[in-house]
Amino acid sequence: MELSETQAKVLEILQEDPRISMRRLAHRVGVSTPTASATVKELEELGVISGYKTLLDAGKLGLHTFHLRIHGDLRSWEDLVESIVGINEVHTLRELDDGSLLAEVLVPSLDILDGIMRRLRVLVGVEKLEVSRVTGEFKNSGTVQTDAATGLSIDCFYCKKKIAGNPVKLELDHRKHYLCCRVCASEYEAKYSRLKDKAGSP
Ligand SMILES: [Zn+2]
């Protein structure tokens, strides 16, 4: 399931101007206003559009950026990730192919960074921390290249593999979810209701 030309154009324009009106968006894409609205809704449901945020310039606010590489024991990763994600100053947290985690941390002072390091060091599973301070930034576009030629495609919500052909659509809680096959659809539905039960229980 590759992105259509209309979807790709909508993404390109929305990344440039997230506050554009539907009418104006439709005009620029060359489709009707209802089609533009439906496309945006579909991209939101697909999870391709994950949100609309106000971008701030951290430097202007006097924040310092650090990259922390966190090495450790994979067995406790899930709890570890949850604890790190819960630290407000952690701006992004990514897993790298060598099994380590890379956190970007924005802090107003070195004292706060020290506090975060102390918290990280005592978490179960953390074996080694490496810290680098970001001293310059030359590009941080916050956008993704989406022109149709890149052949971007939608991944199955369950197995994360590319959806070949038409997706299986599941409607859960008034939202569409896109799966590659019936098997993934039923597994996904089971996982979804498990997570929902867990979230609902005290
Ligand atoms: Zn799948």
Side-chain angles (χ1 to χ4, degrees):
M1 190 196 175
E2 303 224 325
L3 284 190
S4 70
E5 206 174 310
T6 302
Q7 288 176 323
K9 266 194 212 156
V10 163
L11 288 177
E12 195 182 326
I13 295 164
L14 276 184
Q15 288 195 89
E16 223 172 77
D17 182 5
R19 301 170 75 185
I20 193 168
S21 72
M22 270 310 148
R23 258 188 65 200
R24 181 101 195 94
L25 176 66
H27 177 76
R28 284 193 56 193
V29 177
V31 295
S32 69
T33 309
T35 301
S37 305
T39 307
V40 171
K41 185 162 182 268
E42 188 178 37
L43 288 164
E44 287 171 353
E45 286 179 337
L46 280 165
V48 174
I49 296 177
S50 60
Y52 301 88
K53 285 188 177 164
T54 301
L55 299 176
L56 301 180
D57 185 327
K60 289 225 167 72
L61 292 167
L63 292 169
H64 307 287
T65 306
F66 290 85
H67 285 179
L68 304 182
R69 269 301 267 292
I70 303 150
H71 302 267
D73 181 3
L74 278 168
R75 280 167 301 178
S76 34
W77 237 212
E78 224 170 275
D79 290 340
L80 191 56
V81 165
E82 206 178 307
S83 310
I84 301 172
V85 165
I87 300 175
N88 288 334
E89 289 84 356
V90 172
H91 183 61
T92 60
L93 180 67
R94 298 187 163 103
E95 184 179 358
L96 304 183
D97 67 351
D98 66 355
S100 65
L101 296 172
L102 178 66
E104 186 174 271
V105 181
L106 301 179
V107 289
S109 73
L110 292 179
D111 288 351
I112 306 237
L113 179 72
D114 282 344
I116 291 170
M117 299 279 287
R118 274 200 299 276
R119 275 174 76 181
L120 290 176
R121 275 204 190 91
V122 297
L123 290 176
V124 176
V126 172
E127 283 164 8
K128 198 174 114 193
L129 286 178
E130 287 174 303
V131 191
S132 313
R133 182 176 183 157
V134 175
T135 53
E137 183 165 86
F138 307 106
K139 187 171 183 182
N140 181 356
S141 70
T143 61
V144 174
Q145 190 63 36
T146 51
D147 67 65
T150 55
L152 287 180
S153 62
I154 308 299
D155 292 343
C156 170
F157 282 21
Y158 186 72
C159 71
K160 315 284 186 216
K161 292 194 189 112
K162 280 189 179 178
I163 297 176
N166 288 329
V168 177
K169 291 181 197 170
L170 256 188
E171 178 125 7
L172 300 166
D173 291 325
H174 312 293
R175 228 171 156 256
K176 284 199 195 73
H177 302 254
Y178 294 74
L179 292 309
C180 70
C181 62
R182 298 265 156 222
V183 178
C184 277
S186 72
E187 293 288 325
Y188 182 84
E189 197 169 6
K191 188 179 161 196
Y192 189 89
S193 63
R194 270 201 311 278
L195 288 175
K196 230 184 129 179
D197 286 350
K198 203 176 153 190
S201 64

